[in-house]
C-alpha cells in the first residue's frame, strides 16, 4: 500500500465513485469520476502517472478545488484578495470530516485568517453528488472573494470531449446544442440577476460519441437563481474540468471579519447509458431530493393570460372559470391585471391590492366562484418589480436598483426593486403574507419579467452584494411564505423560462417553461428542458390556434399531445372555443389525468422514427407514449416506432385498440402508430404490462 493512502477519499453513489486526494502540497485533486471502484481499485489510482504523489512532469494537475497556488495557470474556481493586496491562496489541509453522509475537507490559509470548507453530499439511491464551498473569515479585516465556485469537477481524459448546453432567449428557451469542446475556456452564464433565458446552469460532457441510449455522460447543474457562470476548460492534453459557481465578472463579494460565505449547491452526475439515462437520473434527483412536495401530481391548471391579457372584469374571469371547470381543469389561475392601476403594463406593479373597478368587493367573490366550481384558485404576482407609475414607487423611489447620475432604464415600463435591502424584502414579504392571509389563495404564479440594469445601491458600502442578496432574500421570502401557508403551491416564472434551476425548484412546485406556447416550437423547448428537469415541473399550456406568438395553426389534438408531455394546462380563450373543441378538450384532459402519474413521476425516454418524434413515460405497469409528426415527406409511411426499456418477455396491452404486443417486438421492430397521414398528426398511446 502506498504511504499516502490516508490522503485518498472516495465518495460512492449506487453506480459511481468520485475519488479525491490531498496531494503533498495540500491541494485537493480529482482522481476519478466514473463507474464505481472498490477501495482497492481506488487506491491503485495512486500508482498512475498523474498520481498526486508523483512529481508533476510536463502537465498541469487537475484540481478539484481550483484554488490559487503557484504554477496553476488554468481555471481557478476560488480566488480571493486579502486586505494587504495579496492574491494567492496557500491552503493547508486541516482535516476531513465525515458526518451524516457528508464529507467535508477543511483547509486554512498558511498565513491569512481564512478557512475553506469543501463539502460533498450524496443521497441514498442517487448518483448525484452535491458540492458546496464555505469560506470563513476568521480575522477582522475584510477579504474580497473574487470568485468562489461551488465545485470544480475533474472529468477523466476523453478523446474528443463534447459539450451539451441549453441556450436560448425569450420564447425560445432551453435549446439543446452539442459541440466539440475547444481548447481553453468556454464560459456560459448569466449577468442578468436571474438564471436567464440565454443559458441554463446545466451542462453535460461526453466523449463525442454518446447517444440517447449509450455512452458515459458527466453533467453538472448549479442550484442558483441569480447570476452565475460555468467554465468548461479543456487543457492541452484534452483533460476537461467543469467549474460552476454563482456571481459573474467583475463583481466580488466582501467577506467581513467573522463572516461565512456559503455557496449554492453544484450537483455533479456521472451516468452510463447515454443522454436519456443522464436526464432520467436528474429527474429522479429532483423528485427525491429537490422538490418540496415530490409525491404530489400537479393539477391541470387553467391560466387566463392569453385569453384576456389586461382586458377583463371579475365576471370575465368567472366565465373562463366555468369553461375551464367544465373541461376538467383543477386549478384556475388569474394572471396579470387584477391589482392596483394595472389595466395595462404601464402602471400598478408594486401595489398588491385588488383593482377597485374590477374587484369592488375584493377577490372574495371570484375565489368563492372558482372554489364553487371545484377548482383551486391561483393568482399572478411579480413582487420584485415596480412600475414608476405606482404608489409604491412614488413613496419609495430609492427602493429600486439604481446608480447615482445614471438613468434608470425601464424594460416593459418597470424597474427592479432592491430586494437585497432588508426593509424592501420585509415589505414584500409582508404584502404577500397579507394577500395570502386575507384570501383563500391556493397557488401563486411568481413572475420576474426583466433583468437587472444599473444594478447599484447608492450609499451601501458593499453594493456588489446585491447580486447575491437579491436571490438569497427571494429564497428566504419563498421559504417563509411556504412555512406559514403550508397548502400554498408556487410556480416560478420569469417571462417564461428565465428562472428555471435547482435552486428555485427547491422552493417552488412547477415552472412556466416558456411564453411560447406554439406546440411545434414547444417540442424543442421541452426536449431541452427535459435534459435536466422533470416533466413534473414543466408547465405546458394548450392555447388558441393560430398561436398568438407564431401565428401557426396547429390542430387541437397536436397541441394537447405536446402539452401532455409535461404538466398539462389550458391557456386559450375558452370563451371563443367551439363546442366541439371544448368537448374534445375535455376528453383529452381526461386522457391526461389517467396517465398523469406516469408522465409526471415516471421515467422519460425520448423516441424517434422517421419524421415522428415523441416521448415515452414508464411507471409501474403503465407505459405512455406521446408522439407527434409535423409533416411527412414524399408520402412515405411512418416507420414503426421502437419503444425503449420494456421487458422483452412481457406482453403489453394497447388500451386504444385492445391489441396485445410482445415487449420484444415493440423494442426490436416497433409499434405501428397508425397516425393520420395528414400534417400535424399526433397520438397518445397507453400500454399496460400484463401480469
Ligand atoms: C410574463 C409571463 C406571462 C404572463 C405575463 C403577464 O410575460 O411569462 O405568462 O404572466 O408576464 O404580464
Amino acid at each position: 500500500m502506498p504511504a499516502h493512502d490516508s490522503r485518498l477519499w472516495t465518495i460512492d453513489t449506487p453506480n459511481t465513485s468520485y475519488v479525491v486526494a490531498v496531494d503533498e502540497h495540500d491541494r485537493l485533486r480529482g482522481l476519478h469520476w466514473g463507474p464505481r471502484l472498490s477501495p482497492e481499485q481506488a487506491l491503485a489510482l495512486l500508482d498512475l502517472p498523474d498520481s498526486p504523489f508523483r512529481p508533476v512532469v510536463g502537465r498541469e494537475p487537475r484540481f478539484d478545488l481550483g484554488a490559487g497556488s503557484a504554477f496553476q495557470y488554468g481555471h481557478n474556481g476560488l480566488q480571493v484578495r486579502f486586505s494587504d493586496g495579496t492574491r494567492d491562496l496557500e491552503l493547508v489541509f486541516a482535516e476531513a470530516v465525515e458526518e451524516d453522509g457528508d464529507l467535508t475537507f477543511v483547509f486554512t490559509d498558511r498565513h491569512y485568517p481564512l478557512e475553506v470548507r469543501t463539502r460533498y453530499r450524496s443521497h441514498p439511491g442517487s448518483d448525484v453528488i452535491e458540492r458546496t464551498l464555505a469560506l470563513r473569515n476568521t480575522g477582522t479585516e475584510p477579504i474580497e472573494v473574487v470568485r468562489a465556485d461551488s465545485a470544480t469537477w475533474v472529468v477523466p481524459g476523453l478523446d474528443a470531449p463534447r459539450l451539451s448546453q441549453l441556450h436560448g432567449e425569450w420564447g425560445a428557451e432551453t435549446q439543446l446544442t452539442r459541440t466539440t469542446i475547444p481548447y481553453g475556456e468556454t464560459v456560459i452564464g448569466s449577468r442578468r440577476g436571474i438564471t436567464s433565458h440565454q443559458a441554463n446552469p446545466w451542462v453535460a460532457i461526453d466523449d463525442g460519441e454518446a447517444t440517447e441510449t449509450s455512452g458515459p455522460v458527466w453533467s453538472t447543474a448549479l442550484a442558483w437563481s441569480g447570476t452565475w457562470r460555468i467554465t468548461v476548460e479543456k487543457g492541452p492534453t484534452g483533460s476537461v474540468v467543469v467549474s460552476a459557481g454563482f456571481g459573474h465578472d467583475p463583481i466580488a463579494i466582501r467577506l467581513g471579519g467573522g463572516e461565512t460565505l456559503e455557496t449554492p449547491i453544484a450537483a455533479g452526475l456521472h451516468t452510463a447509458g447515454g443522454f436519456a439515462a443522464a436526464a432520467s437520473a436528474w429527474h429522479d434527483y429532483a423528485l427525491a431530493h429537490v422538490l418540496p412536495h415530490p409525491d404530489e401530481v400537479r393539477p391541470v391548471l387553467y391560466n387566463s393570460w392569453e385569453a384576456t391579457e389586461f382586458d377583463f372584469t371579475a365576471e370575465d374571469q368567472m366565465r373562463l372559470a366555468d369553461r375551464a371547470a367544465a373541461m376538467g381543469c383543477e386549478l384556475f389561475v388569474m394572471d396579470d391585471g387584477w391589482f392596483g392601476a394595472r389595466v395595462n403594463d404601464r402602471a400598478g406593479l408594486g401595489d398588491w391590492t385588488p383593482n377597485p373597478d374590477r374587484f369592488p368587493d375584493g377577490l372574495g367573490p371570484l375565489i368563492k366562484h372558482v372554489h364553487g366550481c371545484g377548482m383551486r384558485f391561483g393568482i399572478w404576482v411579480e413582487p420584485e418589480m415596480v412600475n414608476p407609475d405606482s404608489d409604491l414607487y412614488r413613496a419609495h423611489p430609492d427602493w429600486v436598483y439604481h446608480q447615482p447620475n445614471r438613468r434608470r432604464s425601464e424594460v416593459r415600463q418597470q424597474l427592479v426593486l432592491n430586494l437585497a435591502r432588508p426593509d424592501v424584502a420585509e415589505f414584500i414579504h409582508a404584502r404577500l403574507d397579507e394577500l395570502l392571509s386575507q384570501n383563500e389563495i391556493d397557488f401563486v404564479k411568481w413572475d420576474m419579467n426583466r433583468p437587472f440594469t444599473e444594478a447599484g445601491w447608492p450609499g451601501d458600502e458593499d453594493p456588489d452584494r446585491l447580486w447575491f442578496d437579491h436571490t438569497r432574500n427571494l429564497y428566504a421570502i419563498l421559504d417563509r411564505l411556504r412555512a406559514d401557508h403550508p397548502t400554498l403551491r408556487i410556480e416560478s416564472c420569469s417571462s417564461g423560462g428565465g428562472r428555471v434551476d435547482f435552486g428555485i425548484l427547491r422552493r417552488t412546485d412547477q415552472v412556466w417553461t416558456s411564453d411560447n406556447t406554439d406546440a411545434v416550437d414547444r417540442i424543442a423547448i421541452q426536449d431541452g428542458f427535459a435534459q435536466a428537469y422533470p416533466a413534473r415541473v414543466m408547465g405546458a399550456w394548450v392555447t388558441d390556434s393560430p398561436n398568438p406568438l407564431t401565428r401557426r395553426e396547429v390542430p387541437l389534438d397536436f397541441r394537447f399531445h405536446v402539452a401532455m408531455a409535461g404538466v398539462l394546462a389550458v391557456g386559450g380563450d375558452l370563451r371563443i372555443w367551439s363546442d366541439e373543441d371544448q368537448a374534445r378538450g375535455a376528453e383529452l384532459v381526461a386522457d391526461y389525468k389517467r396517465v398523469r402519474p406516469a408522465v409526471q413521476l415516471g421515467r422519460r425516454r425520448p423516441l424517434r422514427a422517421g419524421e415522428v418524434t415523441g416521448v415515452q413515460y414508464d411507471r409501474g405497469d403503465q407505459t405512455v407514449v406521446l408522439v407527434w409528426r409535423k409533416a411527412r415527406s414524399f408520402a412515405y409511411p411512418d416507420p414503426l416506432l421502437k419503444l425503449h426499456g420494456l421487458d422483452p418477455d412481457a406482453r403489453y396491452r394497447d388500451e386504444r385498440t385492445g391489441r396485445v404486443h410482445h415487449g420484444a417486438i415493440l423494442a426490436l421492430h416497433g409499434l405501428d402508430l397508425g397516425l393520420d397521414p395528414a400534417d400535424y398528426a399526433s397520438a397518445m398511446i397507453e400500454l399496460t404490462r400484463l401480469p
Side-chain angles (χ1 to χ4, degrees):
M1 287 243 178
H4 304 292
D5 58 349
S6 60
R7 306 261 280 190
L8 180 117
W9 290 264
T10 301
I11 296 118
D12 284 329
T13 68
N15 304 296
T16 72
S17 292
Y18 191 81
V19 184
V20 288
V22 175
D23 73 11
E24 56 199 355
H25 300 289
D26 279 7
R27 299 172 304 196
L28 191 60
R29 303 264 294 267
L31 302 189
H32 172 87
W33 185 20
R36 181 96 184 230
L37 297 181
S38 69
E40 201 184 335
Q41 291 165 340
L43 271 181
L45 295 167
L46 298 179
D47 300 333
L48 297 180
D50 60 356
S51 159
F53 304 107
R54 290 185 171 205
V56 175
V57 189
R59 61 161 83 171
E60 283 188 48
R62 293 166 301 172
F63 297 111
D64 177 287
L65 177 64
S69 52
F71 300 114
Q72 189 184 339
Y73 298 105
H75 172 74
N76 203 335
L78 175 58
Q79 300 171 31
V80 302
R81 216 188 309 256
F82 296 101
S83 54
D84 64 0
T86 300
R87 297 193 59 156
D88 255 8
L89 269 169
E90 281 189 25
L91 293 181
V92 178
F93 174 60
E95 57 175 340
V97 185
E98 285 184 64
E99 216 172 44
D100 302 332
D102 289 4
L103 173 62
T104 305
F105 293 92
V106 185
F107 300 86
T108 52
D109 190 85
R110 191 178 300 284
H111 175 81
Y112 293 92
L114 177 68
E115 181 190 86
V116 178
R117 288 173 167 260
T118 139
R119 192 191 73 193
Y120 300 82
R121 172 175 290 175
S122 58
H123 299 279
S126 172
D127 288 322
V128 169
I129 299 171
E130 296 176 343
R131 233 197 76 162
T132 52
L133 208 63
L135 306 180
R136 191 157 68 92
N137 180 346
T138 52
T140 48
E141 293 293 314
I143 299 172
E144 196 184 350
V145 181
V146 176
R147 182 165 188 154
D149 283 359
S150 304
T152 302
W153 305 101
V154 177
V155 179
L158 302 170
D159 276 349
R162 179 168 58 166
L163 172 69
S164 301
Q165 67 185 104
L166 301 172
H167 68 96
E169 60 177 315
W170 174 81
E173 297 87 336
T174 52
Q175 304 288 311
L176 173 66
T177 31
R178 307 195 198 278
T179 42
T180 303
I181 303 177
Y183 289 100
E185 294 176 32
T186 303
V187 184
I188 62 166
S190 160
R191 297 190 176 97
R192 293 166 192 262
I194 45 170
T195 321
S196 95
H197 301 81
Q198 286 68 22
N200 190 274
W202 167 93
V203 294
I205 314 287
D206 74 293
D207 61 5
E209 290 181 357
T211 66
E212 284 296 346
T213 52
S214 71
V217 177
W218 293 262
S219 44
T220 189
L222 185 71
W224 181 248
S225 315
T227 68
W228 59 275
R229 61 207 143 183
I230 293 180
T231 305
V232 179
E233 182 181 18
K234 186 159 99 172
T237 55
S239 66
V240 173
V241 293
V242 185
S243 199
F246 63 177
H248 67 270
D249 302 334
I251 58 164
I253 304 167
R254 187 168 170 274
L255 192 61
E259 285 178 0
T260 299
L261 170 74
E262 297 260 3
T263 70
I265 291 170
L269 171 69
H270 167 76
T271 41
F275 297 117
S280 149
W282 282 118
H283 303 166
D284 290 348
Y285 166 69
L287 291 173
H289 306 294
V290 179
L291 292 172
H293 304 285
D295 300 332
E296 284 181 12
V297 288
R298 300 298 312 140
V300 177
L301 72 75
Y302 177 82
N303 181 294
S304 66
W305 173 245
E306 287 196 16
T308 62
E309 296 212 341
F310 290 107
D311 186 13
F312 62 85
T313 60
E315 288 64 42
D316 291 327
Q317 294 287 333
M318 289 183 198
R319 233 164 358 123
L320 285 168
D322 292 340
R323 297 272 169 116
M327 200 174 277
C329 295
E330 300 155 307
L331 163 63
F332 179 86
V333 184
M334 174 165 63
D335 211 278
D336 199 353
W338 61 268
F339 51 91
R342 186 77 169 171
V343 292
N344 52 49
D345 64 11
R346 293 187 292 280
L349 273 178
D351 301 335
W352 301 108
T353 46
N355 177 289
D357 298 330
R358 295 180 172 189
F359 298 95
D361 303 314
L363 298 174
L366 173 62
I367 296 178
K368 196 161 167 231
H369 184 88
V370 168
H371 284 162
C373 293
M375 292 186 291
R376 282 174 253 177
F377 178 78
I379 200 160
W380 181 94
V381 290
E382 194 181 1
E384 296 151 83
M385 298 291 158
V386 274
N387 286 119
D389 184 1
S390 65
D391 293 341
L392 181 63
Y393 188 73
R394 278 183 285 273
H396 299 285
D398 54 330
W399 274 15
V400 296
Y401 293 124
H402 64 285
Q403 313 258 15
N405 311 313
R406 292 286 171 257
R407 73 188 83 183
R408 300 180 181 196
S409 301
E410 293 177 19
V411 179
R412 212 189 183 205
Q413 285 82 239
Q414 61 196 64
L415 298 167
V416 187
L417 284 171
N418 182 346
L419 200 63
R421 280 176 63 140
D423 54 349
V424 176
E426 194 54 46
F427 172 85
I428 291 174
H429 171 266
R431 292 301 302 114
L432 291 169
D433 186 56
E434 196 182 321
L435 182 70
L436 296 171
S437 303
Q438 289 175 356
N439 299 282
E440 285 181 60
I441 293 172
D442 309 297
F443 180 88
V444 155
K445 174 180 174 184
W446 183 302
D447 209 339
M448 199 296 185
N449 275 317
R450 60 152 290 178
F452 295 10
T453 53
E454 298 97 19
W457 183 350
D460 193 78
E461 57 176 18
D462 178 26
D464 274 4
R465 71 188 163 107
L466 69 87
W467 294 96
F468 304 91
D469 286 355
H470 185 107
T471 303
R472 290 194 187 110
N473 287 346
L474 165 75
Y475 286 171
I477 295 171
L478 289 168
D479 291 345
R480 211 167 142 198
L481 291 174
R482 228 171 222 299
D484 294 340
H485 305 274
T487 58
L488 178 72
R489 298 293 177 265
I490 302 175
E491 176 173 53
S492 167
C493 173
S494 177
S495 291
R499 194 149 64 188
V500 179
D501 57 78
F502 285 123
I504 204 76
L505 285 175
R506 214 163 266 279
R507 39 201 44 100
T508 53
D509 300 280
Q510 63 186 78
V511 298
W512 180 221
T513 313
S514 176
D515 278 342
N516 185 341
T517 56
D518 176 305
V520 172
D521 285 348
R522 268 302 179 110
I523 294 172
I525 293 172
Q526 295 183 178
D527 187 48
F529 185 99
Q531 301 302 309
Y533 310 108
R536 157 70 172 66
V537 302
M538 186 175 74
W541 304 348
V542 176
T543 56
D544 298 340
S545 180
N547 183 273
L549 178 70
T550 63
R551 306 309 298 164
R552 195 177 347 239
E553 289 187 45
V554 175
L556 188 74
D557 274 43
F558 192 101
R559 281 178 272 150
F560 262 95
H561 286 140
V562 171
M564 283 157 79
V567 177
L568 174 68
V570 179
D573 188 353
L574 296 182
R575 296 168 304 183
I576 58 165
W577 281 28
S578 67
D579 290 347
E580 200 187 339
D581 279 359
Q582 306 236 14
R584 180 64 188 142
E587 282 172 10
L588 289 160
V589 168
D591 282 351
Y592 178 72
K593 287 181 182 166
R594 248 189 356 260
V595 302
R596 165 166 59 184
V599 171
Q600 294 192 11
L601 307 174
R603 173 160 186 177
R604 177 187 192 272
R605 295 179 163 92
L607 302 172
R608 173 177 287 277
E611 305 289 340
V612 178
T613 58
V615 67
Q616 172 185 337
Y617 291 103
D618 299 287
R619 188 166 186 260
D621 293 336
Q622 200 177 29
T623 289
V624 181
V625 174
L626 290 156
V627 284
W628 34 83
R629 189 236 307 116
K630 209 173 127 189
R632 295 187 308 155
S633 301
F634 314 114
Y636 288 160
D638 295 319
L640 302 185
L641 179 77
K642 292 184 182 118
L643 303 187
H644 299 307
L646 299 184
D647 177 354
D649 298 325
R651 293 175 318 137
Y652 295 82
R653 185 179 57 236
D654 182 336
E655 301 294 348
R656 287 183 308 175
T657 59
R659 279 194 58 194
V660 173
H661 303 277
H662 291 277
I665 303 297
L666 291 173
L668 299 170
H669 294 272
L671 177 70
D672 183 4
L673 295 169
L675 292 180
D676 186 332
D679 289 356
Y680 294 118
S682 66
M684 180 186 96
I685 298 137
E686 212 182 323
L687 298 169
T688 309
R689 184 193 159 122
L690 299 177

